[in-house]
C-alpha cells in the first residue's frame, strides 16, 4: 500500500483544504504504517498553471510546508517533499500524454471551470491531469486521499495507467483508488464550495497581525445566512451548522434540536463557530511560529523527503523507459 496526495501552493490554506484533505492526510500517517507508505508533496509545478510570480511561489511553498508541519505532519512517519524535487514526473507525464486521447482531457470539469473563471487556457492547464497522473503513478500509489473535486483527476490517472499498460502490453503501472475525507465539500462564507478562487475562505492560520476581533468581522460575522429570526425553525444542514459540525461535532449535536425547533439565532451560532475555530487551531499557532524561525529545519525535511521519493521514482522510471524503448544514459542512475 502507498498513500499519496499533493496540495498546490496556490494560496493560503483554508478550512476546505483542512477538512477536505489535510486532516485526513495527517490521520492516515498512522494507518499507512511507515514513512515509505505515506507520501505527501507540495505541487509547485501544478501551481505554475495559475501563478507567474517566482517570489510568491517560493513564499507560498514555504507556507504550505509550515502549515503541514505545524498541523501534525511528522517527517518520521510520512515522506514530505516538493513535487519539483522529483523532476522525473515531467518525463513520465510525457510518456503518459503519448497514450492519452485528447478527448479524455477535454472532458475534465476542472479545466472547464478554471477557463470559465478566467484562467488562460495554456497547454499546462490542459495537461494538468496528465502531470497529476504522473505524480500518482510514479510512486505506484494505491490510495489517493482527496476532496471530491479531485475525484475525476484520480479516475483519469486510472485510465492513463490502463492505456499505458495496454499500449505496451505489460502491467507496469498500478491503478490507484481515490478516497474521500469525511467532508468532501466544505462550504465557504457564501455557502458555495470554500475555495481560494472564490474569495470565500476562512484560513487555517490567521494572516499575520490579524486580531481575533478582526477575524470575527472578516470571517465569522460575514457567513451568509437567510433572514430567519431567532425563534424560527432552522435548517440543520445550512452553512453555519455544516461548519460548526466540522469544528465541534459534539457542540453541534447538542445545539441541533433547539436549532431545528427555533430559539437559537444565527449570531449565536456564528460566535460558537468562532470560539470552536480558535480552540481547534490556536494550539498549532505556536508550533507554526517556531517552525517559521527555523528555515534550515524545514528545508532539510523537504530535501530529505525529496531524496526518498526520488529513489522510489527511479525504480519505476527504469521499468517505464525499458518498456517504451528509451535508452537512459548515465543521468538516469
Ligand atoms: P482551492 O479550491 O481552494 O483552490 P485546491 O484545489 O488547491 O483548493 O484543493 C486542495 C485540496 O483540498 C484538494 O484535495 C481538494 O479536494 C481539497 N479541498 C479544497 N477545497 C475544498 C472544500 N471546500 N471542501 C473539501 N475539500 C476541499
Ligand atoms: N490537483 C490537486 C489539487 O489541486 C493537487 C495534486 C497534484 C494532487 N498532484 C496530485 C493531488 C496527486 C493528489 C495526487 O488539489
Amino acid at each position: 500500500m502507498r498513500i499519496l496526495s499533493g496540495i498546490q501552493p496556490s494560496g493560503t490554506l483554508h478550512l476546505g483544504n483542512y477538512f477536505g484533505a489535510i486532516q485526513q492526510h495527517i490521520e492516515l500517517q498512522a494507518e499507512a504504517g511507515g514513512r515509505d507508505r505515506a507520501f505527501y508533496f507540495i505541487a509547485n509545478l501544478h501551481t505554475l498553471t495559475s501563478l507567474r510570480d517566482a517570489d510568491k511561489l517560493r513564499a507560498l511553498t514555504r507556507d504550505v510546508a509550515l502549515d503541514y508541519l505545524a498541523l501534525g505532519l511528522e517527517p518520521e512517519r510520512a515522506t514530505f517533499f516538493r513535487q519539483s524535487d522529483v523532476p522525473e514526473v515531467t518525463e513520465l507525464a510525457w510518456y503518459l500524454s503519448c497514450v492519452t486521447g485528447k478527448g479524455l482531457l477535454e472532458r475534465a470539469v476542472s479545466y472547464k471551470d478554471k477557463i470559465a473563471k478566467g484562467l488562460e487556457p495554456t497547454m499546462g492547464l490542459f495537461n494538468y491531469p496528465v502531470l497529476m497522473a504522473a505524480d500518482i503513478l510514479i510512486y505506484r500509489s494505491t490510495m489517493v486521499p482527496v476532496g471530491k473535486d479531485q475525484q475525476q483527476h484520480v479516475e483519469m490517472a486510472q485510465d492513463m495507467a490502463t492505456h499505458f499498460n495496454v499500449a505496451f502490453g505489460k502491467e507496469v503501472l498500478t491503478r490507484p483508488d481515490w478516497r474521500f475525507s469525511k467532508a468532501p465539500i466544505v462550504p465557504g462564507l457564501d455557502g458555495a464550495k470554500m475555495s481560494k478562487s472564490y474569495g470565500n475562505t476562512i484560513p487555517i492560520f490567521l494572516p499575520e497581525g490579524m486580531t481575533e476581533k478582526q477575524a470575527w468581522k472578516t470571517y465569522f460575522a460575514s457567513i451568509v445566512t437567510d433572514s430567519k429570526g431567532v425563534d424560527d425553525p432552522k435548517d440543520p444542514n445550512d452553512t453555519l451548522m455544516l461548519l460548526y459540525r466540522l469544528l465541534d461535532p459534539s457542540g453541534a449535536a447538542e445545539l441541533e434540536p433547539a436549532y431545528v425547533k427555533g430559539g437559537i439565532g444565527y449570531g449565536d451560532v456564528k460566535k460558537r463557530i468562532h470560539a470552536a475555530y480558535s480552540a481547534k487551531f490556536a494550539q498549532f499557532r505556536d508550533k507554526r511560529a517556531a517552525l517559521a524561525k527555523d528555515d534550515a529545519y524545514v528545508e532539510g525535511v523537504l530535501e530529505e523527503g525529496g531524496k526518498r521519493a526520488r529513489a522510489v521514482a527511479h525504480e519505476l522510471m527504469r521499468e517505464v523507459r525499458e518498456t517504451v524503448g528509451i535508452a537512459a544514459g548515465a543521468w538516469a542512475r
Side-chain angles (χ1 to χ4, degrees):
M1 164 163 97
R2 179 165 286 124
I3 297 170
L4 167 127
S5 197
I7 190 135
Q8 282 199 69
S10 50
T12 303
L13 296 183
H14 52 73
L15 296 189
N17 299 134
Y18 184 76
F19 290 109
I22 303 170
Q23 187 183 39
Q24 182 177 220
H25 298 166
I26 300 213
E27 283 169 7
L28 284 170
Q29 292 181 115
E31 202 177 302
R35 65 173 163 176
D36 289 330
R37 295 182 175 195
F39 275 32
Y40 299 121
F41 66 92
I42 306 173
N44 54 355
L45 295 172
H46 274 113
T47 297
L48 288 171
T49 58
S50 61
L51 183 66
R52 290 168 184 175
D53 179 333
D55 287 336
K56 200 160 175 202
L57 181 57
R58 273 187 285 267
L60 287 170
T61 302
R62 175 177 177 268
D63 279 345
V64 172
L66 293 176
D67 288 351
Y68 261 79
L69 291 168
L71 291 167
L73 185 133
E74 296 173 51
E76 306 77 33
R77 297 168 91 191
T79 297
F80 186 42
F81 60 103
R82 275 179 295 245
Q83 182 183 32
S84 56
D85 284 345
V86 186
E88 288 80 3
V89 287
T90 60
E91 183 189 349
L92 181 59
W94 175 255
Y95 301 149
L96 292 175
S97 71
C98 293
V99 295
T100 303
K102 206 164 140 259
L104 181 76
L105 294 178
E106 277 160 356
R107 286 193 288 279
V109 174
S110 159
Y111 175 76
K112 291 182 212 160
D113 279 356
K114 286 176 178 169
I115 301 292
K117 270 187 245 147
L119 272 188
E120 199 183 318
T122 60
M123 285 311 295
L125 194 61
F126 187 66
N127 283 326
Y128 184 111
V130 185
L131 182 59
M132 179 157 161
D135 288 328
I136 296 171
L137 301 172
I138 203 165
Y139 308 111
R140 296 189 197 280
S141 313
T142 49
M143 196 236 276
V144 186
V146 282
K148 181 128 181 62
D149 57 343
Q150 297 297 318
Q151 175 186 354
Q152 190 189 28
H153 287 156
V154 182
E155 285 169 353
M156 288 180 161
Q158 295 173 334
D159 288 347
M160 287 183 224
T162 302
H163 289 160
F164 183 93
N165 293 344
V166 169
F168 291 97
K170 208 173 151 201
E171 283 294 306
V172 180
L173 301 176
T174 309
R175 275 172 70 95
D177 284 319
W178 41 263
R179 178 157 142 178
F180 290 154
S181 69
K182 284 168 241 139
I185 302 180
V186 178
L189 299 177
D190 56 356
K193 183 201 133 174
M194 188 178 285
S195 173
K196 290 177 276 249
S197 39
Y198 300 158
N200 63 354
T201 63
I202 302 174
I204 302 173
F205 293 102
L206 296 182
E208 217 166 295
M210 184 184 270
T211 61
E212 283 296 340
K213 208 168 148 199
Q214 288 166 329
W216 161 254
K217 244 183 112 187
T218 315
Y219 307 116
F220 305 96
S222 12
I223 303 172
V224 176
T225 59
D226 55 28
S227 54
K228 289 198 186 86
V230 173
D231 293 327
D232 292 326
K234 301 186 178 64
D235 176 4
N237 290 314
D238 62 10
T239 308
L240 288 183
M241 281 306 271
L242 290 177
L243 286 172
Y244 189 30
R245 207 169 284 131
L246 288 170
L247 289 160
D248 177 5
S250 55
E254 233 171 79
L255 186 76
E256 193 173 323
Y259 194 70
V260 173
K261 199 161 155 264
I264 308 276
Y266 288 135
D268 181 7
V269 188
K270 290 180 182 178
K271 283 189 195 126
R272 287 169 191 254
I273 292 174
H274 186 190
Y277 164 88
S278 302
K280 188 166 181 67
F281 294 109
Q283 54 172 322
F284 303 118
R285 284 186 203 159
D286 291 346
K287 175 133 192 237
R288 195 182 187 285
L291 286 162
K293 289 196 196 108
D294 198 352
D295 276 327
Y297 169 77
V298 177
E299 183 57 30
V301 168
L302 294 175
E303 279 182 20
E304 147 98 18
K307 275 189 207 144
R308 300 176 71 86
R310 198 165 186 208
V312 174
H314 274 166
E315 269 175 51
L316 181 98
M317 289 309 288
R318 250 194 297 275
E319 201 182 332
V320 165
R321 293 185 194 113
E322 168 77 28
T323 303
V324 300
I326 295 289
W331 57 269
R333 283 193 283 275

